[in-house]
Amino acid sequence: MQTHNLGYPRIGSQRELKKAEELFWAGKISEQDLEDVSLQIKISNWETQKHAGIDWIPVNDFSLYDQVLDLSVLVGAVPERFKKLAAQKSSNELYFAMARGYQKEGFDLKPLEMTKWFDTNYHYLVPEFTKSQTFSLSGDKPFREFEEAQKLGIQAKPVLLGPISYLLLGKEKEEGFSSIDLLDKLLPTYTAILKKLQDLGATWIQIDEPCLALDLTAEVKVKYQEVYQRLHTAFPELKIILANYFDCYGDNLDIALSLPVDALHLDLVRCPSQLDDILAHPALAHQALSLGLVDGRNIWKNNYENSLTYIRKAIEKLGKEKVWLAPSCSLLHTPYDLDLEIQLDPELKDWLSFGKQKLDELQELKEIAILPDAEHSLEYLKQNEQSIAKKALSKKVHNKEVKNALISLKASDFKRKAEFTSRQKIQKEKLQLPLFPTTTIGSFPQTKEVRLLRSKLKKGELSQEQYDAEIEKATTEVIHWQEEIGLDVLVHGEFERNDMVEYFGELLDGFAFTQHGWVQSYGSRCVKPPIIFGDVSRPVDMTVKWSVFAQKIAKRQVKGMLTGPVTILQWSFVRDDQPRSTTAFQIALAIREEVLALEKAGIQIIQIDEPAIREGLPLRKKDWDNYLTWAIEAFRLSSSGVEDQTQVHTHMCYSEFNDIISHIANMDADVITIETSRSEMELLGAFKDFRYPNEIGPGVYDIHSPRVPKKEEIIDLIQKAMTYLPEDNIWINPDCGLKTRQWEETKAALINMVEAAKVLRSQVLDTA
């Protein structure tokens, strides 16, 4: 019986990669310094896995920014606009330009589009393809990392994103072809990669094909058979583990089992039923099974007795030598090490397992399965059973008042008093906003000085009064600056907030927090998800103080800023002892109380951000309606208690809306702001075809890049938006919050945005 890991966190246990990257981007360290930090992280990761007893350790799972971008660079899929830069810059500089854009030395290059990696909060860089696309082996990353691991005595298993999933996850940049048509062009380069790995001594290679968890066309299913037969013919001695995760193989199971691969990985956390389906399948013969038993997406301790049930079934059918044990997916989505959490409640800590501990769980499961009667095996089982039982019985988990509040909900709690058309008239009269009102999504740059204030407060180096005085100063400055440049609806800047989910979780009951529980969201952006361990309730006001302060010193309307229930759910580690929908409604009730408190305090515009609605969508369409029903109801529960004159906004980003536009309309937000700039407003096609009735703020510039858009560029994007939407319903705003940006670029971009709005208003008036 073998153990293996599909991937490991790559930011460093102390976020060393994030810090090194940001210093490199700022020109404060060299490219070699960045490479040195990267190597140390990789070595630490490999040695941790080796020490835990993992038999096959992944390499090429490390990335400076994103694994899909890594493959794009490796196979030479560099968009034409970057070719001139590529001739002048190092490979790392080109790589980061593709990820973040490049605006200096006479260049003005937009980055690749970014979107969510399936239903996770991780973002990947979308490959761009053209009809005449060519591919060529253009780098050495997987080979270099394999050799680095070999030198350390690591039994290394290279990891590659499969060729079909890579193409399906890309985007056609012109009409008249499908990305899957490029397979014949890609395969020679992909084959060259496999050959070089084999020549270096690789015996097992993990090829990730997560698109096997999606609804696939008949054409793509045939392509899977063709491609893997070609790879097997070319490399009959090379052993391949085909990995799918995040859902079942479903109706792709026949295809998967027919492929000439040596092992098939199953995500038994997301789809426990598929093991029985596979073991009973007549095509199961030559393949080993990799059982994804340990949750790679959450932080709860594995229930050994449940996992052993699956292991015993597989052994009975296949024998021990054909059963591999693994996490459900890459551990990229989990924090590094629970041992770092010295301040966590010991009772709660006993229920948890982070990346490093999940490796130990795999090894313990292997030992129990092989030697079930050994003393150490019995002790592992006993300790695990005790932890699971203590969690189930803990009084910290359950709150009768919260449960009763959910039972008491009525249909009217999910519906605004009047329809949108009536509310819109009331709100326009009340707010007196101009055509194309300008606003931002909420946060302004969180500088080192602002973060230092929070750190000093936590350490007791600042009193609460001193801290509040500094936050008042920062808020006052940003309110006056917004008024100075002419923004129409202001925000208070959120300087008191650490993270849009963490901030609220710290003020809600039922949540716990870590010191070092960081996970990567994209590039150098790391988040520290809260842990929802119990019933959720709101003991105190969360945002009223700073919203009221900002409104008092402002001459224009200031939005109250909240994070919505589904996003708080999605971006947390969620309890696994009740349906996610139940937890979502508990959070929604807490947000509803805060919305009503803001309204009572005089805030007339309230934004409830839901960027994760689309992210939570199940991978299979047959499961969509159930999820969307409760997700939209949770938002409406949070937002529907206000009067008609109170304008409710929501924000959603990096989402394809075409398939769910009717559900988005059912949210019934007065204004929705969305990400559209990287896609050149293409996403608005869904809103036009559906005739979306409410107001929309299509994002006019990409905040995930330091690039500053020109005024003319913003005008062009809004003019495109006007071909999709009624001009009376259009707002002008950035794609997302500005927390991660620097002040210099933020100010320049927003000034251009406001000036663009003024030009467009004049043009409309001139033609009226």
Side-chain angles (χ1 to χ4, degrees), residues 396-515:
K396 293 181 179 179
V397 172
H398 304 288
N399 182 325
K400 286 186 179 180
E401 290 184 7
V402 174
K403 297 181 191 300
N404 290 336
L406 286 189
I407 295 171
S408 302
L409 289 173
K410 307 179 296 294
S412 58
D413 294 324
F414 297 86
K415 186 176 176 60
R416 294 287 294 269
K417 293 179 175 63
E419 298 299 318
F420 170 72
T421 51
S422 299
R423 301 198 310 264
Q424 187 179 38
K425 292 176 183 177
I426 295 169
Q427 291 165 13
K428 283 188 179 293
E429 183 176 343
K430 180 74 174 178
L431 299 173
Q432 293 293 304
L433 296 172
L435 185 67
F436 305 126
T438 56
T439 190
T440 65
I441 303 304
S443 57
F444 271 97
Q446 291 259 330
T447 61
K448 290 181 180 178
E449 292 76 15
V450 169
R451 295 195 299 271
L452 184 60
L453 288 175
R454 280 200 298 272
S455 176
K456 286 184 175 181
L457 178 67
K458 285 186 176 181
K459 293 176 182 176
E461 297 172 9
L462 276 182
S463 68
Q464 188 67 51
E465 291 75 17
Q466 291 171 318
Y467 173 80
D468 287 352
E470 292 297 322
I471 297 298
E472 283 187 6
K473 181 181 176 182
T475 304
T476 301
E477 288 176 356
V478 82
I479 288 289
H480 291 165
W481 181 78
Q482 291 174 83
E483 291 180 330
E484 180 184 324
I485 68 167
L487 279 164
D488 300 302
V489 174
L490 316 182
V491 298
H492 77 282
E494 303 181 12
F495 301 114
E496 80 286 3
R497 303 186 190 184
N498 41 23
D499 173 81
M500 66 180 292
V501 172
E502 185 176 7
Y503 175 79
F504 289 94
E506 287 178 338
L507 297 168
L508 293 168
D509 287 343
F511 283 74
F513 291 85
T514 62
Q515 290 177 282

Side-chain angles (χ1 to χ4, degrees), residues 73-116:
V73 171
L74 182 64
V75 300
V78 176
E80 187 63 34
R81 65 183 178 278
F82 292 99
K83 295 292 178 65
K84 188 175 179 181
L85 182 71
Q88 301 178 22
K89 298 293 180 181
S90 71
S91 58
N92 276 344
E93 288 173 311
L94 170 65
Y95 177 87
F96 288 129
M98 291 172 66
R100 306 176 70 240
Y102 196 87
Q103 195 174 39
K104 56 185 175 180
E105 301 167 357
F107 291 97
D108 188 6
L109 305 174
K110 293 183 179 180
L112 298 180
E113 190 174 335
M114 185 162 62
T115 196
K116 294 294 179 73

Side-chain angles (χ1 to χ4, degrees), residues 633-681:
E633 284 182 349
F635 177 83
R636 291 179 66 127
L637 177 60
S638 71
S639 64
S640 294
V642 295
E643 299 299 322
D644 294 336
Q645 67 183 17
T646 298
Q647 189 175 72
V648 173
H649 291 222
T650 191
H651 172 67
M652 304 175 73
C653 58
Y654 298 99
S655 297
E656 296 288 347
F657 294 111
N658 302 58
D659 293 331
I660 61 169
I661 186 64
S662 63
H663 294 278
I664 301 303
N666 285 339
M667 293 173 73
D668 199 25
D670 297 304
V671 181
I672 180 173
T673 52
I674 58 174
E675 178 277 324
T676 52
S677 67
R678 284 200 183 190
S679 65
E680 298 286 336
M681 296 288 167

